Amino acid sequence: MKNIIEIENLSKSFGNVRAVDDLSFNVKEGELFAFLGVNGAGKSTTISIMCGHLSKDSGKVHIGGTDIDKNLDKVRKSLGVVFQNSVLDKKLSVIDNLKNRAALYNITGDDFDERLEELSELLDFKDLLKRTVGKLSGGQRRRIDIARALLHEPKILILDEPTTGLDPQTRKLLWEAVTKMRSERNMTVFLTTHYMEEAADADYVIILDSGKIAAKGTPLELKNTYTGDFITLYGIDENEIKVLGNPYEKLKNAFRLAVPNTAAATDMIINNPQLFRDYEITKGKMDDVFLAVTGKKLTGGAEK
């Protein structure tokens, strides 16, 4: 797969604060790319530079093979962006919001009607078209935000914490829609999120800390590098678990042990078969990776 986003030695400061510090990375076409970091790590600053909303101090940004310094209009046409905060006009109806946005891309008449039909079915908002945006729930408004970003069939969809505060059902609907678009149109998705289960589904992950890359790789590579495995044992008492000599965590009706890897777990089971009557082995989660890399807990919200 070819690179659709190429960022080289990107830097941006706000006074004495170095928000983005000599940042370099690539995103492959069709990829689900997760860009993680605590508030203030530089995620939103990077996105704002990519979209042309913020000037960079130095470095190069190529999107779809185009240098943003040379043809920003072309770059913007290739991007669909869902920001942390909705950019919809609350006083207008859903259909008027979408119609006004579509007109900026010369999508009018039958072309608009056809696109509206497709998106309203994909994101399940046909019954909301005449409703005023200000009267929609957060989940309903988020569906329209995503429809707005997809109107012109962008090559790259930027999702900046798109599911923060949404109920599980709405989150599931949104991800099903995004997955369908990726599958059918090879759309690239550039994601920031504080829901680590969403990052776990990414093709590639970068963890940003203080404007620099702290870790990168596939979710599996990161888990194998920064966390071990966990064994959860059921149906034994605390005196039995102490025999193993490993640190453990007491859960409801179970005990959880941390081990360096699957091989260590296998050795423990072979050497202590009497204790492993009912157990499960799981890999560390992306939350564990993030904490190991940054020493910080990931939370949502606006940032620079």
Side-chain angles (χ1 to χ4, degrees):
M1 291 186 292
K2 66 179 181 180
N3 294 331
I4 195 167
I5 298 173
E6 296 178 327
I7 291 181
E8 182 181 347
N9 305 121
L10 182 66
S11 293
K12 177 66 180 180
S13 296
F14 297 95
N16 294 326
V17 178
R18 190 94 159 170
V20 178
D21 192 356
D22 199 30
L23 187 63
S24 297
F25 65 88
N26 299 322
V27 180
K28 296 188 181 300
E29 187 176 29
E31 200 169 51
L32 171 54
F33 178 91
F35 197 51
L36 309 179
V38 296
N39 294 341
K43 306 187 304 297
S44 291
T45 298
T46 303
I47 289 173
S48 293
I49 292 170
M50 289 167 56
C51 296
H53 297 158
L54 189 65
S55 62
K56 55 186 170 59
D57 294 340
S58 60
K60 297 179 180 178
V61 178
H62 288 82
I63 296 178
T66 301
D67 187 332
I68 64 168
D69 291 333
K70 294 180 179 178
N71 196 339
L72 183 56
D73 285 342
K74 183 179 178 181
V75 168
R76 283 175 169 165
K77 288 176 182 177
S78 71
L79 300 176
V81 188
V82 179
F83 296 101
Q84 291 178 20
N85 298 315
S86 178
V87 293
L88 299 170
D89 190 325
K90 294 182 180 180
K91 295 181 180 180
L92 296 180
S93 67
V94 168
I95 192 168
D96 285 341
N97 264 280
L98 296 178
K99 189 174 289 186
N100 289 347
R101 180 64 178 178
L104 296 177
Y105 297 94
N106 295 317
I107 304 171
T108 58
D110 291 342
D111 290 337
F112 172 74
D113 292 340
E114 183 178 333
R115 193 75 182 117
L116 181 65
E117 175 69 20
E118 180 185 359
L119 291 172
S120 62
E121 183 174 340
L122 179 69
L123 291 161
D124 190 24
F125 63 84
K126 284 185 178 182
D127 59 333
L128 303 176
L129 291 174
K130 295 182 180 180
R131 293 268 299 274
T132 303
V133 165
K135 295 181 179 179
L136 300 181
S137 68
Q140 290 170 334
R141 196 158 50 244
R142 192 46 112 195
R143 281 184 263 166
I144 312 307
D145 278 318
I146 292 180
R148 176 185 181 276
L150 292 174
L151 273 168
H152 61 296
E153 301 184 59
K155 294 179 180 178
I156 302 166
L157 179 64
I158 297 176
L159 299 174
D160 194 6
E161 296 194 15
T163 58
T164 300
L166 300 186
D167 62 271
Q169 184 178 359
T170 303
R171 286 174 62 196
K172 182 173 182 291
L173 170 67
L174 296 185
W175 275 112
E176 285 176 347
V178 170
T179 300
K180 188 171 188 291
M181 295 291 291
R182 286 186 63 217
S183 173
E184 293 180 353
R185 308 193 182 188
N186 198 34
M187 183 177 68
T188 304
V189 176
F190 188 104
L191 169 73
T192 78
T193 181
H194 68 275
Y195 291 115
M196 288 293 95
E197 65 269 30
E198 294 177 346
D201 291 330
D203 297 301
Y204 201 80
V205 177
I206 279 181
I207 298 176
L208 210 59
D209 193 14
S210 300
K212 295 183 177 182
I213 294 175
K216 59 184 179 180
T218 67
L220 181 58
E221 287 169 347
L222 291 173
K223 289 176 186 178
N224 286 339
T225 301
Y226 293 101
T227 73
D229 290 2
F230 294 95
I231 311 174
T232 304
L233 293 91
Y234 304 92
I236 64 174
D237 61 39
E238 193 161 1
N239 288 328
E240 290 178 296
I241 202 74
K242 287 179 179 178
V243 171
L244 296 172
N246 276 49
Y248 62 86
E249 177 185 2
K250 190 172 184 179
L251 307 176
K252 186 178 181 181
N253 302 320
F255 295 92
R256 188 171 83 151
L257 301 170
V259 290
N261 48 50
T262 305
T266 302
D267 288 342
M268 186 178 290
I269 293 166
I270 291 172
N271 294 327
N272 302 274
Q274 74 282 2
L275 299 182
F276 290 87
R277 300 181 293 270
D278 186 6
Y279 67 93
E280 61 182 347
I281 302 175
T282 56
K283 283 198 171 291
K285 297 181 180 180
M286 287 300 296
D287 297 85
D288 302 312
V289 170
F290 192 88
L291 281 168
V293 170
T294 67
K296 302 165 188 172
K297 189 173 182 180
L298 190 60
T299 56
E303 60 138 327
K304 276 190 174 181

